[in-house]
Amino acid sequence: MKITKKTLSDNVTLFTISNGWMSFSSMNYGCTVTNLFVPDKNGNPTDIVLGFKDLEGYKNGKGSLGAIVGRFANRISNASFTLDGKTYQLDKNDGENSLHGGFTRLEKQVWNATTFEEEHRAGVIFERTTTEDEQKYPGNLTIKVSYILNDQNQLFWNYTATTDKATPVNLTNHSYFNLAGKGSVFNHELTLDYNKILEVSENLIPTGNILSAEGTAFDFSKKKSIGQDIDQISKKIGGYDHCFLTKAYETGKLESVGTVSEPSTGISMHIKTNLPGIQIYSGNWLEGTGKGDVTYNHHDGICFETQDFPDAPNHPSFPNCILRPGETYDAQTILEFKNS
C-alpha cells in the first residue's frame, strides 16, 4: 500500500492511495474522488470516474462530480419537513424541492483530513462539523468520511456522524462512473440483486409506493445494458434517476447490491451496502468540460448513490433517517473491482 500527497492550494491537498493494482485520488475539498484507476482486461490503467482538470473546475463546476453530498442527499419535497412537532424550511434549489442539502453544499467546503496506512489497507479520513445555520437543518452534525482501499481491490466508502439535536441524515458519494473511461454508458451492463423501486412523480418525488420492477425498464434482475430500455423512461426525467431498493432494506445489514460491467474494457464493479436504497442516475443532464479537456455529454457517466430513501423525512413508512443525540449514523458501501 502506498500514499502520496499533492498540495493544490493553501488548504487543499490531494491524496492518492495505491495497492499496486489500482488506485484512487481524493481531496479534502468536498471529500471529492478525482480519479479512480483500474486496469482493463489488457492491463491498461483506465480512469473510471469523471471529473475536472483542476481545483477551480471543482469549485465552479456543477453536478457534484465525485463529491460527498448531504446533509440529506437526494430530494426533500417542498423543501420542508416536520420533526418532533417543528417544521423546518430548507433551500429550494430543485424547483420547489431541496436537493443534496440546498445552496450551501458539503461538496464546496474544505474538510480536515488525515491518512493511515496498514499492511493490507490504507486510506484517508475527512472530518467536518456542519452547523444548523449552514443548510437550515436542526443541530450541529459532526461527520467523518472514510475512503479506504485494501489489497483485495475493494474500495470502502464509510460515513459516520453524530449530532447534538435530532436531524435527518443521508450521506452519499456522487461519483460518475464510466468503466470504459469515456463515451456513453449505454453499453454498460447492470445486474441488481433486489428487483424493487420507489415510485416517483415526474418531479422525482416518491409517492410512498414500492413497486416491483419485473418486466419494466427498471428490471435489472438479469444482466441488461443501461441503454436497452432507457428510452421507455419519461423524456422529462431523461433516463434513470430512481431509487432502487437493496436487500439491506429488509435486513439492515451489509448486503450485495449488484454488479456493473463494461464489455470493451472488461472492468466490473460489484457493489455492497448496508443502506436500503441506491439512486441510479444515468447522467441525464451531464455536460461541461472535464479532465483532458473532454466534453461531457448526457449519459457519459452513471452514478450509484447508496443512500436512505429520498424524501424520507416526509414518509413515516420509509426506513428511519432521523439521527438523535447519543446515536451514531453508520453508512457503509464497498466497491470491488475486477477485470476479465
Side-chain angles (χ1 to χ4, degrees):
M1 307 299 298
K2 182 179 179 182
I3 301 175
T4 57
K5 302 178 183 180
K6 180 181 179 181
T7 300
L8 302 183
S9 72
D10 289 343
N11 56 2
V12 178
T13 302
L14 180 71
F15 305 88
T16 298
I17 316 292
S18 173
N19 67 4
W21 187 81
M22 62 173 288
S23 69
F24 78 91
S25 298
S26 61
M27 61 181 172
N28 62 316
Y29 183 79
C31 307
T32 303
V33 176
T34 61
N35 302 89
L36 177 53
F37 282 96
V38 176
D40 67 12
K41 59 187 177 183
N42 297 315
N44 300 311
T46 304
D47 189 357
I48 62 169
V49 294
L50 307 188
F52 299 105
K53 65 180 180 180
D54 55 27
L55 179 59
E56 289 305 308
Y58 288 98
K59 287 183 175 181
N60 299 319
K62 300 179 180 180
S64 308
L65 274 65
I68 190 75
V69 290
R71 167 181 314 194
F72 196 91
N74 215 315
R75 294 166 177 85
I76 293 183
S77 62
N78 299 311
S80 67
F81 64 92
T82 300
L83 176 59
D84 296 340
K86 182 177 179 179
T87 298
Y88 295 88
Q89 187 65 52
L90 308 173
D91 294 334
K92 293 183 177 181
N93 66 325
D94 183 51
E96 291 297 305
N97 308 310
S98 185
L99 176 65
H100 294 332
F103 295 121
T104 304
R105 307 289 278 267
L106 297 182
E107 70 196 73
K108 303 297 186 183
Q109 310 302 320
V110 175
W111 295 57
N112 296 321
T114 57
T115 60
F116 72 92
E117 184 176 358
E118 299 173 353
E119 183 179 1
H120 298 291
R121 64 179 198 150
V124 56
I125 300 170
F126 303 104
E127 296 183 78
R128 186 177 182 275
T129 296
T130 178
T131 68
E132 60 182 356
D133 296 328
E134 277 188 349
Q135 296 182 337
K136 305 176 185 177
Y137 288 87
N140 301 302
L141 187 73
T142 299
I143 306 170
K144 180 183 291 186
V145 175
S146 303
Y147 298 149
I148 302 166
L149 178 65
N150 69 13
D151 58 8
Q152 301 298 310
N153 303 322
Q154 294 175 318
L155 179 58
F156 294 75
W157 286 347
N158 297 333
Y159 317 109
T160 60
T162 56
T163 184
D164 59 7
K165 189 182 295 185
T167 182
V169 182
N170 187 22
L171 302 171
T172 194
N173 180 277
H174 206 282
S175 286
Y176 290 76
F177 292 92
N178 188 314
L179 304 187
K182 60 182 179 181
S184 169
V185 298
F186 280 0
N187 288 333
H188 285 49
E189 296 174 335
L190 177 65
T191 308
L192 296 176
D193 298 331
Y194 198 82
N195 209 27
K196 293 183 179 181
I197 64 167
L198 289 186
E199 182 182 52
V200 294
S201 69
E202 286 282 289
N203 293 321
L204 297 170
I205 298 299
T207 65
N209 296 327
I210 295 174
L211 305 179
S212 169
E214 184 177 358
T216 72
F218 305 95
D219 188 348
F220 289 95
S221 57
K222 296 180 180 179
K223 185 185 292 187
K224 184 177 74 175
S225 70
I226 298 297
Q228 179 174 314
D229 297 323
I230 200 168
D231 60 355
Q232 297 180 26
I233 301 172
S234 163
K235 293 188 182 302
K236 180 179 179 180
I237 297 175
Y240 295 103
D241 193 0
H242 299 77
C243 185
F244 292 71
L245 275 64
T246 74
K247 287 182 179 179
Y249 168 69
E250 292 187 345
T251 69
K253 300 178 181 179
L254 185 68
E255 299 281 2
S256 171
V257 175
T259 300
V260 59
S261 59
E262 208 290 320
S264 70
T265 61
I267 296 173
S268 66
M269 180 176 73
H270 181 70
I271 306 168
K272 296 180 180 179
T273 192
N274 68 341
L275 295 167
I278 180 168
Q279 187 83 6
I280 297 179
Y281 173 53
S282 54
N284 307 331
W285 311 113
L286 184 63
E287 59 184 10
T289 303
K291 293 178 285 189
D293 292 325
V294 172
T295 299
Y296 291 145
N297 299 306
H298 298 175
H299 309 298
D300 278 0
I302 184 167
C303 302
F304 297 96
E305 305 162 51
T306 52
Q307 59 184 255
D308 283 294
F309 289 178
D311 202 31
N314 292 312
H315 292 271
S317 64
F318 284 180
N320 176 56
C321 70
I322 304 301
L323 182 70
R324 296 184 179 275
E327 300 174 342
T328 299
Y329 174 85
D330 180 19
Q332 304 170 38
T333 296
I334 304 174
L335 309 176
E336 183 174 357
F337 298 91
K338 297 180 179 180
N339 60 13
S340 59

